[in-house]
Amino acid sequence: MAKPLRLGLAGLGTVGAGVIRLLDTNRELLRARAGRDLEVVAVSARDRAKDRGVDLSGFAWEDDMTALASRDDVDVVVELVGGTDGPALDLARATLAQGKGFVTANKAMIAHHGLELAKVAEADHLALKFEAAVAGGIPVVKGLREGAAANKIERIYGILNGTCNYILSTMEDTGADFGDVLSDAQRLGYAEADPTFDIEGVDAAHKLAILASIGFGAKLDFDAVRVTGITQVQAADIAQADALGYVIRLIAMADVEQAEGQSPTLLQRVRPCLVSKDHPLAPVDGPTNAVVAEGNFSGRLLFQGAGAGDGPTASAVVADLIDIAREEAGAPFSIPQAELVTMAPTEPGHRMERTYIRFTVADRPGVLAEITAAMRDAGVSIESLIQKGSANESGDVLVAMVTHEGQERCVRQALELLDGSDSLTAAPLVLPLLRD
């Protein structure tokens, strides 16, 4: 049997400890599948004294995690620290500069610096692996790079953030409002103390940018992702969606447009959507993730599973290590980074969709007439208009409508006509109806 693959592990939080536990628990199985042992030889974390529930006594300790890259007894470095820049990026650069493979669960770093790292890795035929950076234990990166490699991918979309999905599905189950469910999610460990990246959609946008690059052969362009979070969604919106036969989910979606004789453009966006109850994403609840990829020969592929947690994420990390042990590398983004295509962002105003719009308005005569006039003037056809209940303590009422299918720009124009109106007491909530 080949000599062991020797690992340096940076980060001993929940996932880092999970990797050590998995390597120990499944040691014999991993040896058989990898063709060699996978051995942690050195680790690094901020606190040596902290009890992490795993035995660290057999590992060398580095206070400076960048030192893992230069150790003679380390073949591959695993980074589980996180952060777009700073120590994690320093470690990635140092590891590749030393001619060693690098495995990470850091979606923010890959979304912002993945092309730079891929260029170095490919030049020196090094492994750069990041399965755990997207959707936890779901093998969606490998699924797109390998399982669906024979297909032209036409659309990628799904639920990529477990915190948002837990909040929305719990609001659905309990009738509670956003703030109350967020507090519970923080107490249960489903949301961070500072949940901004999750609830504002940034975490899902990092993951979407990575999947879009792999799926469409596009250069990573995180800055082009259009992002809307879930903070404006109210219990009343959840209830109205339910009455219409829908649930609300934060959906990350990407697809490519190419008009005849024109260069391709890439649309990447994250936003809450109404999802029909008969759609495969509708029953995905709690902290679960799910990704749909549509191939021109495979048809619809659904990847679903735990999007976070020590076990699922550790599983993805170790799967990458098995690939490296087998000497299976390949281009990190499926095709060489130099061949990835620069795609301008798509302007989606011409796209057709049905839309749910909720207004918070003053309870006085003439408000509905003002709203419907703006819709008429912008060319928006209203399918249904709902006003339920009486004014709240502030004197406001909620008015919701669903439009017939029409161009996105028309809804945008209608809202521009209403901008500044003293009839509206809060910004409207606009949720598209997810098309099949």
Side-chain angles (χ1 to χ4, degrees):
M1 184 173 287
K3 66 180 183 179
L5 186 70
R6 302 167 300 176
L7 313 174
L9 178 59
L12 292 171
T14 300
V15 177
V19 168
I20 292 172
R21 193 174 299 113
L22 191 159
L23 290 172
D24 182 59
T25 301
N26 289 353
R27 184 171 302 279
E28 297 300 323
L29 177 65
L30 296 175
R31 178 188 296 124
R33 290 181 175 171
R36 57 203 292 197
D37 283 315
L38 306 177
E39 292 184 359
V40 176
V41 298
V43 297
S44 180
R46 284 183 294 184
D47 183 359
R48 290 194 185 209
K50 182 178 179 180
D51 181 8
R52 296 171 171 86
V54 291
D55 182 9
L56 304 176
S57 61
F59 311 141
W61 188 283
E62 295 287 356
D63 291 316
D64 176 6
M65 68 181 186
T66 309
L68 294 171
S70 57
R71 289 183 64 99
D72 292 337
D73 59 350
V74 168
D75 304 311
V76 176
V77 172
V78 179
E79 181 271 312
L80 301 172
V81 176
T84 306
D85 302 294
L89 183 58
D90 291 341
L91 178 59
R93 288 169 171 164
T95 299
L96 296 173
Q98 290 287 333
K100 298 177 181 180
F102 187 74
V103 174
T104 182
N106 189 337
K107 64 278 202 174
M109 181 176 68
I110 295 298
H112 287 274
H113 303 287
L115 294 183
E116 170 204 333
L117 300 176
K119 182 177 180 179
V120 177
E122 290 171 14
D124 293 332
H125 306 289
L126 302 173
L128 172 62
K129 299 282 189 178
F130 44 84
E131 181 67 67
V134 181
I138 306 172
V140 63
V141 170
K142 185 181 288 288
L144 289 176
R145 287 181 71 244
E146 300 174 19
N151 286 260
K152 177 182 179 182
I153 301 300
E154 297 174 335
R155 187 164 66 138
I156 298 170
Y157 63 101
I159 296 166
L160 294 178
N161 184 270
T163 298
C164 288
N165 207 56
Y166 172 83
I167 291 171
L168 292 172
S169 59
T170 301
M171 290 172 68
E172 182 183 307
D173 292 340
T174 65
D177 230 327
F178 175 83
D180 295 331
V181 178
L182 173 59
S183 297
D184 285 342
Q186 290 172 311
R187 178 177 55 82
L188 294 169
Y190 292 133
E192 301 287 345
D194 180 1
T196 304
F197 264 36
D198 291 318
I199 62 176
E200 295 294 352
V202 178
D203 174 81
H206 285 141
K207 298 169 184 175
L208 180 66
I210 294 168
L211 293 181
S213 181
I214 295 169
F216 304 121
K219 285 190 182 297
L220 271 168
D221 190 3
F222 170 75
D223 291 336
V225 184
R226 297 166 176 253
V227 185
T228 303
I230 66 169
T231 55
Q232 289 190 58
V233 177
Q234 299 180 12
D237 301 309
I238 301 283
Q240 189 58 56
D242 178 64
L244 293 167
Y246 292 83
V247 297
I248 297 177
R249 298 289 185 262
L250 184 71
I251 301 295
M253 179 179 294
D255 62 33
V256 172
E257 279 190 10
Q258 186 166 17
E260 186 174 353
Q262 302 293 318
S263 298
T265 62
L266 174 62
L267 180 64
Q268 305 175 86
R269 58 184 171 189
V270 175
R271 54 183 179 167
C273 297
L274 267 67
V275 179
S276 173
K277 289 181 181 179
D278 60 7
H279 191 283
L281 292 182
V284 178
D285 59 7
T288 305
N289 283 190
V291 181
V292 176
E294 296 175 353
N296 64 336
F297 275 75
S298 65
R300 176 185 284 174
L301 304 171
L302 174 64
F303 304 86
Q304 181 175 334
D310 58 340
T313 309
S315 172
V317 169
V318 175
D320 280 344
L321 293 172
I322 291 173
D323 280 352
I324 295 173
R326 293 169 172 170
E327 300 183 350
E328 297 173 3
F333 293 96
S334 189
I335 64 176
Q337 60 83 31
E339 298 177 21
L340 295 172
V341 178
T342 298
M343 295 186 187
T346 301
E347 168 47 56
H350 65 284
R351 294 195 172 201
M352 305 293 287
E353 64 183 18
R354 296 170 65 210
T355 308
Y356 168 90
I357 310 171
R358 186 256 295 149
F359 298 94
T360 307
V361 302
D363 187 20
R364 64 178 185 227
V367 172
L368 284 180
E370 183 180 355
I371 292 173
T372 55
M375 295 294 158
R376 177 201 64 210
D377 293 346
V380 177
S381 176
I382 300 172
E383 179 181 301
S384 59
L385 181 66
I386 311 104
Q387 178 182 341
K388 289 188 177 180
S390 57
N392 59 25
E393 293 179 1
S394 64
D396 300 332
V397 295
L398 300 183
V399 174
M401 66 174 61
V402 176
T403 71
H404 286 290
E405 188 173 69
Q407 291 187 333
E408 287 188 38
R409 65 167 57 95
C410 295
V411 170
R412 190 185 311 157
Q413 290 167 0
L415 298 181
E416 288 172 355
L417 291 173
L418 291 167
D419 188 35
S421 169
D422 59 6
S423 296
L424 273 61
T425 59
L429 176 69
V430 180
L431 305 180
L433 278 61
L434 181 67
R435 66 176 176 84
D436 286 339

